Amino acid sequence: MAAGARGARPGAAVTALLAAWLALALGPAAAAASRPSQAGSPGEQRGRVQVLSAANWSLVLQGQWMVQFYAPWCPACQQIEAAWENFAKESDHLDITVGKVDVTQEPGLSGRFFVTTLPTIYHAMDGVFRRYRGSRTSEDLQGYILERKWEAVEPVAGWKSPSSIMMHGMAGLFHFSGWIRQIHSYFTGTLGIHVWGSYAIFILSTLLIGLILGLILVLIADCLCPSKPRYREEASELIEKENAELTAVEEVEEDEELSANELEEAVEEKKDISDGEDGAKSSEEANSSEDGSEEEDSAVDEGSGTEETEDICEQHPTDSETQSSVRQRKSQVADNGL
């Protein structure tokens, strides 16, 4: 059968998912139906020890009780089994009821009493619980009741009491863990799915359930607390204020940038003006130096002109003298010829 289940993996996976959803829908009833039948139902008297379960554990809240939490595989629990039976036989004249809880079959009760070690024994008196930590022989248990030693033991704190709200939640958590373990055993044992395949199914189921619950919570929140127009108007006003502030900041930054650019331009203009003035001064100096040189040249030219005129004037009389002398000679020659 297991080989056939391994050969048909897709069908087995679908069946496993359907079984998981049925288990989620049916809850404790499906878990109880999947348990193997055993001799003695919860609440049935086995000798004088009363078997307690999640259905009848509230009986402990009335009268005086001694309750043992055990597991069939626990060696220490097996050692005190005979002593516990003998203690239960003496419960009539002790005016006490003796009970026991199998933690493998009742994980919810083990969580409600926050059982962390086995065996664990509690004394209950009208709903007030005390942890028994003495010897586990029949005589010591009877002396604990007859001598009322339980009065010297500090009761369990109210928030840790099995009837408190917190322990109700703890019982549900332990019961849920046991239920998950049974489903895992069903997947790996009955259906023949590999262990990692069972883990993958649980992971996918957890994610899917989380998404569905989140969607449901969001829808409930929207229905109970719908967004009002006033809040929307306030939100829009806040957004407008923020936008106005941002625009103001941007304008200030732009003005600062413009002022910085204007300052740079003014500095450049001043530099250009100063450079122009320096060029004008240098050009004026050059022109003045050129004018001075021209005046000197003109003066030199004038001096040379006067000298030339003087030379010319000096030359003119000499020419006239030579002409007159030539004329005189010509007249003398003419006279001599005559």
Side-chain angles (χ1 to χ4, degrees), residues 48 64 85-98 138-139 141-143 145-147:
R48 295 184 181 273
Q64 186 173 200
E85 292 289 342
N86 292 330
F87 174 59
K89 291 177 182 179
E90 302 295 331
S91 61
D92 288 337
H93 72 274
L94 293 175
D95 193 18
I96 190 172
T97 306
V98 179
S138 179
E139 292 78 10
L141 291 169
Q142 293 179 36
I145 300 300
L146 291 173
E147 298 174 11

Side-chain angles (χ1 to χ4, degrees), residues 103-104 107 174 176-186 202:
V103 296
T104 61
F174 273 65
F176 182 72
S177 66
W179 180 43
I180 293 295
R181 185 171 61 252
Q182 290 175 0
I183 295 175
H184 176 69
S185 300
Y186 175 73
F202 280 115

Side-chain angles (χ1 to χ4, degrees), residues 48-54 56-71 77 80 84-85 87-88 91 96-103 106 109-110 112-115 117-136 141 144-145 150 156 162:
R48 295 184 181 273
V49 178
Q50 186 170 358
V51 178
L52 297 175
S53 67
N56 65 350
W57 81 271
S58 58
L59 297 174
V60 182
L61 300 176
Q62 298 174 359
Q64 186 173 200
W65 284 74
M66 286 288 283
V67 181
Q68 177 197 184
F69 291 86
Y70 74 100
C77 300
I80 69 166
W84 195 254
E85 292 289 342
F87 174 59
S91 61
I96 190 172
T97 306
V98 179
K100 63 179 181 180
V101 178
D102 186 356
V103 296
E106 298 294 339
L109 276 182
S110 65
R112 184 180 294 276
F113 285 82
F114 202 69
V115 176
T117 58
L118 295 175
T120 298
I121 300 174
Y122 275 97
H123 173 270
M125 185 66 177
D126 294 329
V128 179
F129 294 88
R130 292 174 175 86
R131 178 80 176 271
Y132 176 79
R133 300 180 184 275
S135 176
R136 294 164 184 163
L141 291 169
Y144 184 79
I145 300 300
W150 51 268
V156 176

Side-chain angles (χ1 to χ4, degrees), residues 118-267:
L118 295 175
T120 298
I121 300 174
Y122 275 97
H123 173 270
M125 185 66 177
D126 294 329
V128 179
F129 294 88
R130 292 174 175 86
R131 178 80 176 271
Y132 176 79
R133 300 180 184 275
S135 176
R136 294 164 184 163
T137 63
S138 179
E139 292 78 10
D140 291 332
L141 291 169
Q142 293 179 36
Y144 184 79
I145 300 300
L146 291 173
E147 298 174 11
R148 302 179 68 89
K149 293 181 181 179
W150 51 268
E151 293 180 349
V153 179
E154 185 178 358
V156 176
W159 64 273
K160 290 180 66 176
S161 176
S163 58
S164 65
I165 296 175
M166 183 174 180
M167 290 298 106
H168 275 286
M170 188 66 69
L173 182 62
F174 273 65
H175 182 75
F176 182 72
S177 66
W179 180 43
I180 293 295
R181 185 171 61 252
Q182 290 175 0
I183 295 175
H184 176 69
S185 300
Y186 175 73
F187 286 165
T188 56
T190 305
L191 300 179
I193 299 175
H194 194 271
V195 174
W196 289 105
S198 177
Y199 292 161
I201 291 172
F202 280 115
I203 291 171
L204 293 175
S205 300
T206 303
L207 293 175
L208 182 62
I209 292 170
L211 290 174
I212 293 172
L213 291 177
L215 180 61
I216 291 171
L217 289 176
V218 170
L219 293 175
I220 291 173
D222 288 338
C223 292
L224 295 178
C225 302
S227 57
K228 297 181 180 179
R230 182 170 60 85
Y231 296 148
R232 293 179 181 175
E233 292 176 357
E234 291 179 355
S236 62
E237 290 177 357
L238 290 174
I239 292 171
E240 291 177 357
K241 288 181 180 179
E242 291 177 357
N243 293 331
E245 292 177 356
L246 289 174
T247 52
V249 171
E250 291 177 355
E251 290 177 356
V252 170
E253 291 177 354
E254 290 177 356
D255 293 338
E256 291 178 354
E257 290 178 357
L258 291 173
S259 61
N261 294 330
E262 291 176 355
L263 288 173
E264 290 178 357
E265 292 177 356
V267 170

Side-chain angles (χ1 to χ4, degrees), residues 317-335:
T318 55
D319 293 336
S320 58
E321 289 176 358
T322 54
Q323 289 176 359
S324 59
S325 61
V326 168
R327 287 175 182 172
Q328 288 176 2
R329 287 176 182 175
K330 285 180 176 181
S331 61
Q332 288 177 0
V333 170
D335 292 334

